[in-house]
């Protein structure tokens, strides 16, 4: 966490819940809720907590997919609405952003796929952005184990929250 005059370091713990709904082969709608908190310190220790609510849509295009294609791949572009709330050192801050999304999916093999994606608000690229890379391993026909690394930076009222996280989760298709 960085303010105008200090940098605070620490580890935050939290929870990420994410879902995506596919509408046909080319369009999807996603929802993510992230909640985190912990102590950060500079010359003294203070509490930092945040929560984010993100709704986004994407249109997939290009690439190749289907049962007769050796390696499935696609590109995606979309938009979203992100609301972030921060509590830090007695301050409560809130901001809504409208980021642009870009993504790429590729099947490395029959049993492993990679996804790279990111988003940013165009007019605040230096202050608000996130990038993700995911590996997905099928366990059954409808369930995958997903490992995800993300790196992000967001600024609200001159308080900048930067970092990265690792997530291991399950993905299922209905």
């Amino acid at each position: 966490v960085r303010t105008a005059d200090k940098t605070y370091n620490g580890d935050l713990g939290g929870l990420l819940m994410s879902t995506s709904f596919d509408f046909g082969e080319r369009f999807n709608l996603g929802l993510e809720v992230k909640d985190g908190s912990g102590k950060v310190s500079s010359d003294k220790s203070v509490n930092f907590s945040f929560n984010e609510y993100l709704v986004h849509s994407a249109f997939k295009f290009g690439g190749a997919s289907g049962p007769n294609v050796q390696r499935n791949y696609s590109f995606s572009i979309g938009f979203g609405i992100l609301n972030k709330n921060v509590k830090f050192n007695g301050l409560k801050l809130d901001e809504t952003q409208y980021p642009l999304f870009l993504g790429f999916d590729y099947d490395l093999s029959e049993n492993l796929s990679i996804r790279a994606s990111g988003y940013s608000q165009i007019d605040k690229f230096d202050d608000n952005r996130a990038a993700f890379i995911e590996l997905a391993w099928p366990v059954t026909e409808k369930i995958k184990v997903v490992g995800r690394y993300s790196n992000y930076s967001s600024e609200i009222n001159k308080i900048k929250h930067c970092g990265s996280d690792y997530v291991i989760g399950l993905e299922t298709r209905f």
Side-chain angles (χ1 to χ4, degrees), residues 4 8 10 20 25 29 35 49 90 93 107 121 124 147 152 161 170:
Y8 295 81
S20 179
E25 289 187 26
L29 180 66
D35 190 73
S49 65
L93 306 169
D107 288 348
Q121 187 162 315
K124 293 183 174 185
Y152 52 85
H161 171 212
L170 293 177

Side-chain angles (χ1 to χ4, degrees), residues 104-115:
F104 176 71
D105 295 357
Y106 182 71
D107 288 348
L108 296 170
S109 71
E110 194 175 290
N111 293 316
L112 183 64
S113 61
I114 188 167
R115 304 172 192 149

Side-chain angles (χ1 to χ4, degrees), residues 5-142:
D5 57 348
K6 288 185 183 176
T7 298
Y8 295 81
N9 294 306
D11 291 326
L12 305 178
L15 175 69
L16 168 68
M17 291 179 32
S18 175
T19 188
S20 179
F21 303 96
D22 291 336
F23 296 98
E25 289 187 26
R26 298 278 182 207
F27 185 76
N28 73 21
L29 180 66
L31 171 66
E32 289 190 12
V33 177
K34 188 187 289 187
D35 190 73
S37 64
K39 290 206 179 283
V40 294
S41 59
S42 179
D43 54 348
K44 67 176 184 170
S45 221
V46 294
N47 290 323
F48 180 84
S49 65
F50 72 95
N51 51 38
E52 293 179 358
Y53 307 95
L54 175 63
V55 176
H56 57 91
S57 63
F59 176 74
K60 293 180 182 180
F61 62 95
S65 63
N68 298 328
V69 176
Q70 189 172 2
R71 298 283 185 260
N72 291 327
Y73 65 96
S74 67
F75 305 93
S76 60
I77 187 167
F79 62 92
I81 299 171
L82 169 70
N83 182 267
K84 183 168 185 170
N85 301 292
V86 171
K87 292 179 185 174
F88 173 68
N89 208 15
L91 297 172
K92 291 182 181 180
L93 306 169
D94 179 73
E95 183 173 282
T96 299
Q97 303 171 14
Y98 304 94
L100 173 69
F101 283 77
L102 297 173
F104 176 71
D105 295 357
Y106 182 71
D107 288 348
L108 296 170
S109 71
E110 194 175 290
N111 293 316
L112 183 64
S113 61
I114 188 167
R115 304 172 192 149
S117 61
Y119 64 83
S120 177
Q121 187 162 315
I122 299 299
D123 62 338
K124 293 183 174 185
F125 183 78
D126 287 339
D127 298 324
N128 297 294
R129 62 185 177 273
F132 311 94
I133 190 160
E134 296 179 344
L135 291 174
W137 300 272
V139 177
T140 69
E141 188 177 311
K142 294 188 177 199

